[in-house]
Amino acid sequence: MTALTLSASSAASVRADAVVVGLTTGPKGPVVAAGGEAVDRAYDGKLAATLEILGASGGEGEATRLPAPAGFKAPLVLAVGLGDAPADGAAWPAEALRRAAGVASRALAGAKKAAFALPAGDAACVEAVALGALLGSYAFTASRGTGSKGGKEPLGEAVVLGGKPRDKEYKAAAERATVLAQEMNRTRDLVNTPPNELYPASFATLVQAAAKEHGLKVEVLDDKALAKGGYGGILGVGMGSQRPPRLVRVAYTHAKAKKTLALVGKGITYDSGGISLKPPGFNETMKSDMSGAAAVFATVVAAARLGLKVNVTGWLALAENMPSGSALRPGDVLRTYSGKTVEVLNTDAEGRLVLCDAITRAGEENPDAIVDVATLTGAMVMALGGQVFAIMGNDDGLRSQIHTIAEAAGEAAWPMPLPDNLRKGLDSPIADLKNIGERMGGGLVAGLYLREFVNDGIAWAHLDIAGPAFHEGAPYGYTPKGGTGSAVRTLVALAERAAAGSLL
């Protein structure tokens, strides 16, 4: 991954391949943002005017190159758009800084070193610039072979100017940005890995390796242990595949922790739909159906690396959903780990079947809260689009808190209800529940189904990240094509809130 350093050097004196400055939109044209004053002076105060001639306006997503002025040790200046500047005295929006830095990193792929002279007036701004730069430089290259024509290598090093390398607050900001970026990129790598390489057993092996590296406790239940334990939901989904399912428990504990957070991740390493087969056009990206499990895994590792004073337990419900002679059939009834029976009427509504077992098991440890994360329903993508995840739950306070945390972390999210009138549609004439209900409001129905498996007295939230987990369009900001790392920032911030004693 791109290296990160802080520097108090001037933009003119730093040795780099490029100096990055910010540009905002103004009433009379673009304006050089804070952090770029020294660069502007080197152009005799005419940097904004020059960039305007080249077509720059300061709008978000823009990247404009021009030769560096005489006396600079970098040969290139790259101006990136920040959009509207904040009102006088107001802080820069962290997300605007992250996105601009991400644009710069993508534009500078192939360069060895770039100096970021973006607004960095405090540690929070430094963290935002650093995180955006590190996320924007991401590239998934593991599947390239000898036939690849060779794309450019990611930016080698990002130097954040204005950072104070010896200041504890700034150092902590840089460390947090590094950990978040590395764990989001771990999530992206897992989501982008082809399903013939990432399957339940290999995913579990990766978790075991990381657990050893970071001092985590890990337990893996294979198909025999799942059968012995009565995990009928996970086993039912996985029985059509030649690659058996797994339930992985990975835990970080702190000696001074007063709160325990349980995170449950849907880990369908490939979802064909099973016997209820997905049509062409809907299964090509289904390697991403384990995004929730990847986010949970990365969050537990991040909590350990940051030394948070909270206990965080991750439950990864891993299975492949495949059609075969041994596959789950519409009409089958499964006995879940909770003891409740479920009539399966659609095998493509499989995520809730693996999650319900994991949620029940997580509840046995009496955590202060359970949060499940899943690419669960296409209905929620229809409702909220491709960049917003939904938040549901049995506790309005927890749901609101997660919404606030997500927005502050730069992740678009929206609280959604669990209407009681939709619950009746889950009743089955032959079992305790059906795995599907009314078609309209299907994302809410899925949340209602999961709520049935949360133990009384435990606050629970459900994040449906089906929209933002996998980006099929062109890269933008710090968001690449493919896996995005959705929900990791929110979950880490939630763990930090719990460590501070302010969870619920």
Side-chain angles (χ1 to χ4, degrees):
M1 191 181 85
T2 300
L4 174 68
T5 56
L6 304 182
S7 175
S9 299
S10 69
S13 64
V14 67
R15 294 184 181 276
D17 295 300
V19 172
V20 179
V21 297
L23 205 61
T24 69
T25 55
K28 296 182 180 180
V31 178
V32 178
E37 297 89 348
V39 181
D40 189 31
R41 285 194 297 271
Y43 284 96
D44 296 325
K46 298 179 180 179
L47 176 58
T50 303
L51 289 166
E52 187 174 21
I53 292 172
L54 294 174
S57 68
E60 287 189 19
E62 286 184 352
T64 308
R65 302 167 185 258
L66 71 166
F72 270 53
K73 293 185 178 179
L76 176 72
V77 170
L78 178 70
V80 290
L82 286 161
D84 294 337
D88 290 344
W92 270 94
E95 183 65 1
L97 297 178
R98 283 190 287 262
R99 290 187 178 185
V103 169
S105 281
R106 288 193 292 106
L108 293 172
K112 293 182 178 180
K113 184 176 181 180
F116 288 74
L118 294 172
D122 57 26
C125 287
V126 167
E127 181 181 319
V129 172
L131 182 57
L134 296 177
L135 292 175
S137 64
Y138 172 82
F140 181 72
T141 59
S143 294
R144 292 180 183 170
T146 56
S148 295
K149 295 183 180 179
K152 294 180 180 179
E153 290 296 315
L155 174 65
E157 181 182 358
V159 181
V160 180
L161 303 181
K164 302 174 182 178
R166 296 183 181 180
D167 184 280
K168 289 184 178 180
E169 187 178 4
Y170 282 74
K171 288 172 66 176
E175 174 62 19
R176 186 176 187 275
T178 299
V179 170
L180 281 177
Q182 289 178 345
E183 295 311 319
M184 284 182 68
N185 287 342
R186 182 198 299 272
T187 304
R188 291 168 167 183
D189 280 348
L190 288 167
V191 174
N192 290 330
T193 299
N196 61 319
E197 297 178 13
L198 186 73
Y199 44 90
S202 64
F203 198 148
T205 298
L206 291 173
V207 177
Q208 289 172 317
K212 184 176 181 180
E213 179 182 356
H214 298 289
L216 308 173
K217 293 182 179 179
V218 64
E219 177 186 6
V220 178
L221 299 184
D222 62 13
D223 51 322
K224 292 181 181 179
L226 291 169
K228 184 176 180 181
Y231 294 87
I234 298 175
L235 282 170
V237 172
M239 67 187 189
S241 172
Q242 293 182 327
R243 303 184 186 276
R246 298 286 189 271
L247 177 61
V248 179
R249 178 187 185 274
V250 56
Y252 160 71
T253 58
H254 193 286
K256 296 183 179 180
K258 295 182 180 180
K259 295 284 186 179
T260 297
L261 187 62
L263 306 177
V264 178
K266 173 187 172 183
I268 304 299
T269 55
Y270 183 74
D271 180 20
S272 70
I275 296 297
S276 305
L277 193 67
K278 293 179 184 292
F282 290 85
N283 51 21
E284 289 81 358
T285 61
M286 282 298 104
K287 65 179 182 180
S288 67
D289 213 18
M290 36 57 66
S291 297
V296 166
F297 169 35
T299 299
V300 177
V301 176
R305 294 179 62 184
L306 294 171
L308 302 183
K309 294 180 181 179
V310 61
N311 298 327
V312 184
T313 304
W315 299 88
L316 317 183
L318 309 176
E320 267 192 345
N321 186 24
M322 298 292 287
S324 72
S326 61
L328 184 66
R329 296 162 292 251
D332 284 353
V333 173
L334 299 178
R335 187 173 298 276
T336 67
Y337 182 73
S338 68
K340 295 179 180 180
T341 57
V342 178
E343 181 186 12
V344 178
L345 296 181
N346 186 335
T347 65
D348 196 22
E350 84 299 328
R352 63 200 72 181
L353 297 175
V354 301
L355 286 173
C356 70
D357 277 354
I359 288 171
T360 303
R361 177 64 185 88
E364 290 181 341
E365 299 186 356
N366 295 313
D368 293 285
I370 296 174
V371 179
D372 78 73
V373 191
T375 48
L376 202 60
T377 65
M380 204 54 71
V381 184
M382 294 291 289
L384 297 179
Q387 296 184 22
V388 183
F389 66 75
I391 311 168
M392 289 159 266
N394 65 357
D395 185 288
D396 289 345
L398 178 61
R399 184 183 63 178
S400 296
Q401 193 172 53
I402 292 174
H403 181 220
T404 300
I405 288 170
E407 294 291 331
E411 297 201 88
W414 197 251
M416 299 291 279
L418 292 177
D420 288 335
N421 65 291
L422 293 177
R423 169 59 187 83
K424 186 174 178 58
L426 289 170
D427 289 340
S428 166
I430 63 170
D432 298 329
L433 290 166
K434 296 185 297 187
N435 77 323
I436 57 172
E438 294 184 29
R439 183 170 178 268
M440 299 302 171
L444 310 181
V445 171
L448 286 165
Y449 174 91
L450 294 177
R451 189 178 66 179
E452 295 290 316
F453 298 88
V454 181
N455 292 353
D456 292 341
I458 296 179
W460 158 78
H462 161 56
L463 311 186
D464 190 335
I465 62 170
F470 194 86
H471 178 56
E472 295 187 64
Y476 66 94
Y478 53 79
T479 301
K481 186 180 180 69
T484 64
S486 178
V488 173
R489 279 178 288 168
T490 297
L491 295 177
V492 171
L494 181 66
E496 290 172 328
R497 184 75 66 92
S502 55
L503 178 65
L504 297 181

